[in-house]
Amino acid sequence: VWDYFSDDESMRYRDRVGYLQTLKDGLGIASVRTEFRMKKLINPDGSFNDSTATSYIDSLKAMKEAGLGPPSLALFTPAKWMEREAQQDPEKFFDHYRQYAQKVRSICREAGVQPKYLQVMQEINTRWQTGIPYDQVLHMFPITREVFARDFPNSKIMTTILTSGAPDWRQFTEKLVKDAGENLDAIGFDHYPGSYKNPAGVPIVGKPPFEAFGDTEPYSWIAEQKIHGVLKDKDVLLTEVGVPAITRESRFQRFGYDRIVQALDHFLLEQERKGDSEIFSDIGFFTGGYHRAVDTKTPGGLLDFKPWTLVRKDGEGNWALTNAGSRVKHLIDTRINPPKQ
């Protein structure tokens, strides 16, 4: 599950552990994908924000204590000064990025946690997310590998691509794999059926909820490329899939998760019948607990103004599963990762 609490400097360590245990035991998730924000960690003069670094260290230690598996770390959210620097002085930007990556490596080392994936930027086929030119992002892959190879040689370098509402994402994927080559180990795909493209239940522009949430069309292309095409030698992840909650006990969100996972399960079963069972290395839900960072808006439409979280505080300040969240563990146990026969 994607989670934003790593850089909440006000969160006490024991609260972190308890919250992460709620994600593990309540949602049934195995690991967390979280972001170490460039703009919070590094300053223009190359110095670092110690309080942010401490928060990141504590978050990694708490993940381990809560019994979660190795996390995926998103190296993302550059400050505006970094975006300008990437445009005007790429070499200086690469120096700053290397310093930032070295700091993240030292944070992981101090926490005693090896990241499973190191995600460089986010949804790099969209300008509003990345803010760094494509050619510079390509160069960030080998920098990240070089920095982490000494202490974490098994961590894999990845990035993500948005499928929903991005008509050229297939061509972009093919170009990315060709351009990045061996510098990129994995690609994650963010797919939001029933939300951005063909929004569920919205007259004229959308489709009926059952049909909209059941959209698996991108998976077919991804599976074909994983088995026979450009993704054969890459890990493939479904990095983000989710549904916003119109209300706290949203039937819309619960039905959306039920239908999304049902459709995904049917798709994967069909792949297994063909003898192709290993398509996605990881499947990630968006998002964990409600956090002010979730309020960050993107130009994706009105649904971005609704909470996408599966866990929220109740009236007594305790973490509680939403209506949809209470279903997720069952969906994982019975459809996504059922017991082996």
Side-chain angles (χ1 to χ4, degrees):
V1 70
W2 179 273
D3 187 67
Y4 284 94
F5 274 95
S6 292
D7 63 0
D8 187 342
E9 298 174 18
S10 66
M11 198 174 195
R12 295 177 300 177
Y13 181 77
R14 295 315 312 172
D15 291 339
R16 277 188 203 281
V17 175
Y19 163 70
L20 291 166
Q21 286 175 333
T22 299
L23 297 186
K24 178 177 179 289
D25 299 334
L27 296 181
I29 59 115
S31 64
V32 162
R33 182 168 65 111
T34 195
E35 180 183 350
F36 284 5
R37 297 170 186 253
M38 296 182 194
K39 69 178 183 180
K40 290 197 67 175
L41 189 56
I42 190 169
N43 300 310
D45 63 359
S47 63
F48 297 100
N49 294 317
D50 292 338
S51 60
T52 300
T54 298
S55 180
Y56 290 160
I57 292 168
D58 285 349
S59 71
L60 293 179
K61 288 181 176 178
M63 290 175 201
K64 185 165 61 173
E65 184 170 339
L68 290 167
S72 298
L73 302 183
L75 313 184
F76 181 44
T77 312
K80 292 299 181 183
W81 65 265
M82 297 184 82
E83 293 181 0
R84 289 193 298 269
E85 192 174 74
Q87 296 275 359
Q88 299 167 8
D89 190 346
E91 290 306 316
K92 189 174 182 181
F93 167 74
F94 293 142
D95 286 342
H96 274 127
Y97 178 73
R98 184 182 299 276
Q99 290 175 297
Y100 158 81
Q102 289 170 339
K103 184 65 173 179
V104 173
R105 181 191 65 195
S106 70
I107 287 170
C108 294
R109 190 169 56 223
E110 183 168 346
V113 171
Q114 173 171 302
K116 182 176 182 180
Y117 292 102
L118 294 161
Q119 177 187 316
V120 179
M121 306 306 290
Q122 166 85 358
E123 294 176 353
I124 63 171
N125 59 324
T126 63
R127 290 295 299 162
W128 70 80
Q129 280 281 29
T130 292
I132 301 295
Y134 175 76
D135 288 344
Q136 269 82 306
V137 175
L138 290 175
H139 194 60
M140 293 163 73
F141 298 147
I143 292 175
T144 308
R145 188 186 302 283
E146 179 187 339
V147 167
F148 280 85
R150 187 180 71 185
D151 297 301
F152 304 106
N154 295 322
S155 296
K156 296 184 177 183
I157 310 301
M158 66 168 287
T159 193
T160 65
I161 291 174
L162 178 68
T163 70
S164 304
D168 62 345
W169 65 271
R170 297 170 185 81
Q171 298 93 318
F172 186 93
T173 301
E174 292 172 338
K175 177 174 171 55
L176 173 64
V177 172
K178 179 181 178 181
D179 293 344
E182 294 182 355
N183 292 321
L184 190 64
D185 302 310
I187 298 178
F189 294 91
D190 297 349
H191 178 50
Y192 288 91
S195 294
Y196 298 113
K197 182 182 179 182
N198 299 320
V202 179
I204 302 176
V205 298
K207 291 184 177 181
F210 187 86
E211 181 180 354
F213 287 126
D215 175 26
T216 60
E217 187 274 332
Y219 306 150
S220 298
W221 185 87
I222 293 168
E224 177 65 22
Q225 298 305 312
K226 174 61 179 173
I227 299 163
H228 302 295
V230 297
L231 297 173
K232 281 193 300 185
D233 299 322
K234 308 294 181 186
D235 285 8
V236 174
L237 298 83
L238 179 54
T239 33
E240 291 183 26
V241 62
V243 184
I246 306 303
T247 62
R248 181 181 181 86
E249 297 304 325
S250 175
R251 293 179 66 242
F252 178 84
Q253 188 186 42
R254 174 171 175 163
F255 175 82
Y257 266 97
D258 280 6
R259 178 62 181 132
I260 285 170
V261 174
Q262 179 193 54
L264 176 61
D265 178 46
H266 290 174
F267 172 80
L268 294 176
L269 285 173
E270 183 60 29
Q271 294 300 128
E272 288 181 16
R273 293 189 187 102
K274 298 176 183 178
D276 305 317
S277 59
E278 301 298 328
I279 305 298
F280 296 115
S281 299
D282 275 335
I283 296 173
F285 296 122
F286 185 88
T287 182
Y290 187 80
H291 182 266
R292 60 181 177 272
V294 182
D295 290 332
T296 301
K297 305 301 186 298
T298 62
L302 292 176
L303 288 178
D304 280 324
F305 291 80
K306 299 295 183 182
W308 292 70
T309 49
L310 291 163
V311 181
R312 296 187 221 168
K313 290 287 186 71
D314 61 19
E316 298 179 354
N318 299 313
W319 289 108
L321 303 180
T322 64
N323 201 1
S326 65
R327 291 281 296 156
V328 166
K329 188 175 190 301
H330 171 75
L331 294 172
I332 291 173
D333 290 344
T334 59
R335 291 189 177 271
I336 293 177
N337 190 29
K340 302 296 183 183
Q341 297 297 326

